[in-house]
Amino acid sequence: MKKALVLSVLLLAGRGLGAQEKPGGDLPWIFRGIIPGGHRGKVNSVYYDGQWLLSAGEDGFLGIWDPVERRALLRFQLSSLPILSIARRPGSSQIACVEDEGLGNCRISVWDYRSLEKLFTLRFQDPVQNVGYSAGGSYLTISRSGQTGIVLVDSETGEELLNSWNIPEEFPSSSTFAVTGRTEKTMLVYSPQGSLSYWELSGNRALRLAPALDDYGFPLNFEAPEELSSLLLFGNNRFLAGFDSGGLVVLQADTGLELDRDRSLSSGKLAAWGDEFYCLTIAVSPGGRRSGNAVFSGREGIYRFALDDFGNLVRKGFYPFPVNTVPSALALVPQEENSPPLIVIGAQGGELLPLNPASPYSIPAPLRVKKQTPIREIAAGREKIAFLAGERALGFIPLDFLELKNALFLPLENDGGYTRLSAVELPGDEKIEDRFILWQDRSPLPYPSLRSAETRTILPLSGNSGPNPGGPSARLFPLRSVSALGEQGLFLDMGGNVSVISLADAEIRYTENSAGSMDAAFIDQDSIILGKGSSGEPFLMIDTRTRETVPIPYPAAIGLRVYRGPSGTIYGAAVEESAAGLRTSIIRVNPREPANPFRLAEYLGEDAELSFAEAEGFIASTQGAVYRPWGISLERGPAIPLQITGGDLYFVMLDGEGGISWHNPRTGEMLALFRLYEDEWTLSIAGSGLLRGGIWQPR
């Protein structure tokens, strides 16, 4: 069915998951009836908001937990990058996340964690040392170790109110900690060069910063230890704790005067509790055991500290870590009145563990999760979806998700060592069963195989028959891309070798080396199109009968992707240079008029992992912003999209959590979400609740 081509775009923020819905109350439908999984990798930050525990880490996900029921409530991907820390805006459900872009660059994204909506994003080309909110929540304070040292941002709009253009010259060139007073009229700033200074904030939209003066007109600027880290303000803002080369140190916040230090603790995470604070020691031992590049001389665990009347540190408690746990984050949760708080630690393995101060040597059970088996690759035929999951599993589910109601058990089998899948496109209305090509993009072996979804028969595509032996699997290179049309398969390997092979008998019908090729797709039974890199010709059409080549004159540096949609329309994705920098574009190609490609959408930046597909004449992309008037958005799920495939009825998406979702191609609405676990599968259906079934896998 051919219709006017309209671009639909999968916005990373999407529609959200319902601004009126709250974790623990009326959960969004895709979370109801399930217990989410935990973090995959190190937990970098844990925060208690007065009701829920929030966690974030290297996997880019936000976890929301119920500390009373001791279980996960939901898990939602905020970023494809590691999240280094989170800060919460006082009195609201807004959080700021510091994301690591690498090479010292940082991105700060601000979200509402109850509506699951992104509010704004900021980027910085120098390391961000600390992010926090002002006491009343009006400003987001960003401390940097380079350039201007500090940025103040409007918490509602993301507008920069204070930066290099309006910061006085005497302000420290770098800062790693900044906090405002309750009235938001004064600000305390620490510089790693060894100073504590106070500043006055004035103005509204046009903020002004000036040194705070004492009664004699002198700036409030005090010496302090250099290179302090993990800074914490506690005791009604009277004291400042942190670490330097001499261990744990406590300062008087209004003068910088050093009160006391503990030299046995050289690094860790700190959390305030009224006039006390807790210190999580990352790795210490009585014998001075080496951990990383540091030698420690204390005991490994969590210390509870207070100050006596003379400002001396007093150890009031010690809580050892559970065996085989490597802690990485710390939060405190209130319990009964006048009782010590519940201590919750985030671990490098991804779990959250509650430690009960009343029985510090008991073995805690991690907060409850249900570990999801990630699906890592999908391909959609006319009636079946094939998928690869976990470490070595292959499975098939119906393209019509409602048919899963009849599946009590889902059979899985060994994937044979394959890493990728491609569906065989069936031209016309042929009524034959779906077939899929399994292939490997990391090694020349195993040979690609043709699989039937129904009979599970295997036809190895060795490509060694016919007049020109030496097909793709006989080469010394892994495969880069595979597509199929009718009875022919198109194979491109990492060495630039392009081959067309019969799916009936594995006979090679065309082979050629085209160095620098990035992707390949059929135009029709006799023609193919290549995406090229660094050749001056981003796209090249080839007649496989005559070997005639026709370049497509599109002004781009790289042809990233080529794709034949179910309607027979040919698309490409290219990386272009513009005045604003690199951009990634999706174009439509007419093989009859190759000189006139049409740009459908463009995105800022280069997206080497871009995935897009067609369904009912609409195109969906995994990219975010689109600068064209014909864009609609697909509703996103718990995780950022990784792969999109199209069919006659749906867009089918694979997300970063390893779930499969179905989408209406006209409205973008998510219709269902499939998850796989070790012992069962679940299918959440919009408006219809949750289906469950078992897993059957031969051993």
Side-chain angles (χ1 to χ4, degrees), residues 19-47:
Q20 77 285 358
E21 296 174 340
K22 301 178 181 181
D26 293 329
L27 286 171
W29 64 267
I30 56 173
F31 295 110
R32 293 175 192 155
I34 68 161
I35 297 176
H39 288 283
R40 296 172 184 165
K42 180 182 175 184
V43 178
N44 287 326
S45 189
V46 183
Y47 185 91

Side-chain angles (χ1 to χ4, degrees), residues 450 459-473 487-491 498-511 522:
L450 182 67
L459 173 64
L461 299 172
S462 62
N464 289 315
S465 57
N468 297 303
S473 56
E487 292 299 323
Q488 295 189 118
L490 175 57
F491 300 84
V498 183
S499 302
V500 176
I501 296 182
S502 168
L503 300 183
D505 55 15
E507 178 183 353
I508 295 177
R509 297 181 177 176
Y510 170 85
T511 185
F522 280 105

Side-chain angles (χ1 to χ4, degrees), residues 60 91 103 152 246 278 302 333-334 406 428 495 575 588 594 626 653 671 674 691:
L103 302 177
L152 259 64
Y278 287 68
I302 296 174
V333 179
N406 303 319
V575 177
R588 182 181 64 200
V626 60
M653 183 181 76
L671 304 174
F674 175 85
L691 296 179

Side-chain angles (χ1 to χ4, degrees), residues 132-361:
Y133 284 91
S134 59
S138 301
Y139 312 122
L140 179 65
T141 60
I142 302 163
S143 303
R144 301 186 292 171
S145 59
Q147 296 186 14
T148 62
I150 193 169
V151 177
L152 259 64
V153 173
D154 186 295
S155 298
E156 293 289 340
T157 66
E159 177 187 358
E160 293 186 6
L161 303 177
L162 197 67
N163 207 328
S164 56
W165 64 82
N166 56 357
I167 286 183
E169 292 183 1
E170 60 268 36
F171 193 85
S173 59
S174 66
S175 67
T176 55
F177 183 77
V179 61
T180 70
R182 291 186 180 89
T183 64
E184 300 184 333
K185 299 299 183 183
T186 59
M187 182 167 61
L188 170 65
V189 175
Y190 171 76
S191 170
Q193 280 71 44
S195 71
L196 272 179
S197 54
Y198 283 82
W199 300 82
E200 292 185 352
L201 282 167
S202 59
N204 188 7
R205 303 307 303 169
L207 275 181
R208 293 184 298 276
L209 191 66
L213 306 178
D214 63 16
D215 294 340
Y216 301 98
F218 292 102
L220 293 171
N221 194 332
F222 310 101
E223 290 186 1
E226 297 181 358
E227 301 297 337
L228 287 173
S229 63
S230 301
L231 286 167
L232 173 74
L233 199 63
F234 72 100
N236 200 22
N237 294 346
R238 292 175 296 159
F239 308 112
L240 190 65
F243 295 92
D244 66 5
S245 59
L248 172 68
V249 61
V250 176
L251 311 177
Q252 197 166 313
D254 58 353
T255 64
L257 176 68
E258 180 176 322
L259 298 176
D260 199 5
R261 66 170 59 238
D262 188 326
R263 297 185 181 277
S264 70
L265 307 176
S266 56
S267 67
K269 299 288 182 74
L270 304 177
W273 186 254
D275 289 339
E276 302 178 353
F277 69 93
Y278 287 68
C279 172
L280 181 152
T281 53
I282 300 301
V284 296
S285 71
R289 173 168 52 87
R290 180 170 293 275
S291 177
N293 295 320
V295 174
F296 302 93
S297 57
R299 293 177 64 194
E300 187 175 71
I302 296 174
Y303 293 83
R304 178 186 173 191
F305 282 104
L307 295 178
D308 64 18
D309 293 339
F310 301 98
N312 299 313
L313 277 170
V314 179
R315 293 185 180 182
K316 299 188 66 176
F318 175 76
Y319 312 97
F321 297 138
V323 177
N324 299 325
T325 297
V326 182
S328 53
L330 171 67
L332 304 175
V333 179
Q335 298 194 97
E336 295 82 7
E337 190 175 358
N338 299 323
S339 297
L342 177 71
I343 303 169
V344 179
I345 59 174
Q348 292 197 11
E351 63 270 23
L352 264 64
L353 294 124
L355 306 182
N356 188 351
S359 53
Y361 290 91

